[in-house]
Amino acid sequence: MTNPAEIPLLRVRALHKHFGTLHVLRGLDLEVPRGEVTVVLGGSGTGKSVLMRQIASLDTPDSGSITFDGQELVGLGERELLPFRRRMGMVFQGSALFDSLTVLENVAFPLRQHSDLGTSAIRERAMKLLVALEIDHAARKLPSEISGGMQKRTAIARALALDTELIIYDEPTSGLDPVVSRAVDDLIRKTSEDFNVTSLVVSHDIQSVLRIAQRVAYLHEGRVLFWGPPAAMLKSDAPQLRRYLEAAGV
Amino acid sequence: MVSFLAKLAQYLGLRRLGDKAGASRKSPLRDANPSDADANAQSTISRNAKITRFFAAYLLTFLEEIGILARLVGETVRWTFRRPFHVPQLLEAMRFIGVGSIFIVGLTGLFVGMVFSLQLVDGFRLFGAENMVGGVIGIALARELAPVFSALMVSARAGSAMATQLGSMRATAQIDALWTMAVQPVNFLVVPRVVAATLMVPLLTILFDLIGIFGAWLVGVKLLGLDPGIFVYRVRMLTDPTDVSQGLVKAACFGFALAVIACRQGYFARGGAQGVGEATNRAVVQSAVAILVLDYFISDLILKFMRSSG
């Protein structure tokens, strides 16, 4: 009998997605092991963000299967998806913080919506997350008053507010300078370890991938061309992947 | 109907391609003697097809818009009566739409009442009927002017803001973020705004009524020398509670319509900053048109109902 811990937290099978005549995902398969940082790597237009949207149930695939903790997500109604959404957090490319709420209120938002905690308990919990992510000093600031890196930290804190098991990061280092990018990478690894969450990161930043990934899935033309540890990726002789790595200077 | 029109548009598109293909096919007769009449006939057919395609596309867009609005209305009504109820969001929307519009609606009401009084006294003097001014203004304000102007003002102030807020949220993935946090965006963003507008526009209409009458009294009595007692008596005698209530029914309908239109435009906005700007523009224009069109049909319905009920 299979140990439940060995079953991947997320499993994608034969996923297809069209936009009109454009066939973006072409029978994509992917596994995201529990507790690890898996990075989906690929060039522009290879379907990375589309894949994230399907996994986060923001969009519906044309066919295929997405299972989370062994349970099928494709075909579920909004109501049935709610418990799964609470177990997944998402950090968007632009952070997607609510601009009318302070940093603290942003982190407290999911708790206000889904927990029975009182106002002070919610504040306390949100503040703990801000302390853990070293952004408590900006608790009363609005998102527009803080830097991109701090916005990312806030978004991660918000994603962790509920009982999150999987955090999906969409291009977390895009638009950030190398120093902040490195800090965000460290934060992703640290968050994964400290909070024992599985991370799925979409990126085209190869340096970032090599820093944080325990598994890499290289996407090419809507399919996973390579899946494995970063060290194995560097030794891969798949011509498309080699071209990508050489272009990235690796 | 929509699929029929889609097929029609597709057919016309294919026909056009077919025409091109047909033109490239070698016809022995045409090759031998290409006449101007033939070319003219071809050009007329092509022009007619273009015109038909143009109108079919417009009709399709219109029907699509109606479909999107109908779905949003359905979702909004469904979520209005389902948990969770976002009371803080509702109160905030009521504050923004209602309290925030008091000044602009009051100011508009004052000047509408004043100018209406100015014109009516001037006109009614020709017939020696200036004593009727108070009553006529009362009826006009209660039935038409107050609900329509209040709704137009709310649409310009709050409707545009709603479209911009939701459009910006769409552009910066905040609506997607709500989904990922297991918060239903229609329930959280649209329902409070629609409910608040439906409740607040009638209240603003009452304010418009009162300030409008005051403005009319100010100009009629203080400036143009009408008898104050007769002015007030005519207002009370001619303006029935049913006039006020029909104005309030209209105002509630206008509030609902303007909020749904503003939310539809913002919620489904596409294309970044430019898309948000266009959505806001469409929200204001469509709301204004909808208010005036609805005004006619609701008035007609109410009058028919009142006549039938004696």
Side-chain angles (χ1 to χ4, degrees), chain B residues 115-130:
Chain B
V115 77
F116 209 45
S117 181
L118 197 68
Q119 294 285 7
L120 282 188
V121 171
D122 192 50
F124 278 28
R125 256 192 192 138
L126 297 173
F127 312 99
E130 60 265 43

Side-chain angles (χ1 to χ4, degrees), chain A residues 59-80:
Chain A
D59 208 346
T60 318
D62 298 333
S63 64
S65 152
I66 301 171
T67 53
F68 179 80
D69 201 13
Q71 301 194 54
E72 182 63 54
L73 299 183
V74 177
L76 292 186
E78 265 318 308
R79 210 162 256 258
E80 297 150 323

Side-chain angles (χ1 to χ4, degrees), chain A residues 202-217:
Chain A
V202 160
S203 182
H204 62 256
D205 179 352
I206 191 75
Q207 298 303 335
S208 170
V209 171
L210 295 175
R211 273 198 294 269
I212 61 173
Q214 286 159 295
R215 308 266 170 185
V216 182

Side-chain angles (χ1 to χ4, degrees), chain B residues 7 9-20 53:
Chain B
K7 277 180 186 164
Q10 194 183 14
Y11 166 74
L12 288 166
L14 290 173
R15 271 295 298 272
R16 214 160 82 100
L17 290 174
D19 287 344
K20 280 182 186 167
R53 263 172 22 116

Side-chain angles (χ1 to χ4, degrees), chain B residues 101-208:
Chain B
S101 302
I102 285 177
F103 177 74
I104 190 77
V105 167
L107 193 69
T108 318
L110 183 72
F111 279 94
V112 166
M114 283 164 67
V115 77
F116 209 45
S117 181
L118 197 68
Q119 294 285 7
L120 282 188
V121 171
D122 192 50
F124 278 28
R125 256 192 192 138
L126 297 173
F127 312 99
E130 60 265 43
N131 285 340
M132 299 300 286
V133 166
V136 173
I137 290 177
I139 292 174
L141 278 171
R143 287 190 183 187
E144 288 296 332
L145 296 175
V148 170
F149 273 93
S150 302
L152 287 174
M153 286 300 113
V154 170
S155 156
R157 198 195 77 83
S160 58
M162 280 188 241
T164 312
Q165 281 166 0
L166 297 193
S168 305
M169 289 186 78
R170 171 66 71 191
T172 54
Q174 290 177 49
I175 292 180
D176 285 342
L178 282 174
W179 279 117
T180 61
M181 285 183 275
V183 176
Q184 216 287 345
V186 170
N187 186 18
F188 187 75
L189 298 172
V190 179
V191 169
R193 286 167 170 84
V194 172
V195 172
T198 310
L199 294 175
M200 295 318 284
V201 177
L203 294 180
L204 290 167
T205 299
I206 294 173
L207 180 77
F208 194 108

Side-chain angles (χ1 to χ4, degrees), chain A residues 19-231:
Chain A
F19 292 102
T21 54
L22 191 65
H23 197 173
V24 182
L25 301 181
R26 304 173 180 202
L28 185 141
D29 295 316
L30 177 71
E31 284 187 0
V32 178
R34 281 168 205 272
E36 289 191 7
V37 179
T38 301
V39 179
V40 176
L41 176 71
S44 302
T46 49
K48 302 189 299 291
S49 291
V50 173
L51 171 64
M52 289 301 105
R53 291 185 66 82
Q54 317 300 310
I55 292 171
S57 300
L58 292 172
D59 208 346
T60 318
D62 298 333
S63 64
S65 152
I66 301 171
T67 53
F68 179 80
D69 201 13
Q71 301 194 54
E72 182 63 54
L73 299 183
V74 177
L76 292 186
E78 265 318 308
R79 210 162 256 258
E80 297 150 323
L81 275 172
L82 285 179
F84 295 104
R85 288 193 191 281
R86 286 176 203 174
R87 294 166 65 191
M88 289 188 206
M90 185 150 178
V91 177
F92 289 85
Q93 195 171 344
S95 299
L97 298 174
F98 301 124
D99 41 22
S100 58
L101 303 181
T102 63
V103 165
L104 181 67
E105 287 166 344
N106 262 288
V107 178
F109 181 85
L111 294 167
R112 282 193 208 288
Q113 299 302 317
H114 297 298
S115 74
D116 298 325
L117 298 173
T119 311
S120 56
I122 287 174
R123 259 185 91 83
E124 202 177 309
R125 173 116 191 241
M127 206 61 203
K128 263 187 192 166
L129 284 166
L130 291 181
V131 170
L133 290 157
E134 296 166 18
I135 195 175
D136 49 314
H137 58 281
R140 289 185 180 183
K141 290 190 173 169
L142 290 170
S144 58
E145 297 168 340
I146 58 175
S147 67
M150 286 159 86
Q151 288 183 9
K152 282 277 165 12
R153 283 174 188 271
T154 311
I156 295 171
R158 186 174 72 177
L160 286 166
L162 298 174
D163 300 323
T164 314
E165 291 169 48
L166 171 72
I167 299 189
I168 303 166
Y169 298 85
D170 189 8
E171 304 274 9
T173 55
S174 155
L176 301 176
D177 67 55
V179 177
V180 180
S181 290
R182 181 176 276 268
V184 170
D185 288 341
D186 293 344
L187 191 64
I188 292 171
R189 275 305 284 263
K190 187 173 175 291
T191 305
S192 186
E193 286 158 13
D194 292 357
F195 292 88
N196 192 28
V197 290
T198 306
S199 301
L200 178 62
V201 184
V202 160
S203 182
H204 62 256
D205 179 352
I206 191 75
Q207 298 303 335
S208 170
V209 171
L210 295 175
R211 273 198 294 269
I212 61 173
Q214 286 159 295
R215 308 266 170 185
V216 182
Y218 177 73
L219 240 67
H220 182 74
E221 293 182 347
R223 287 193 194 93
V224 173
L225 197 74
F226 169 87
W227 186 84

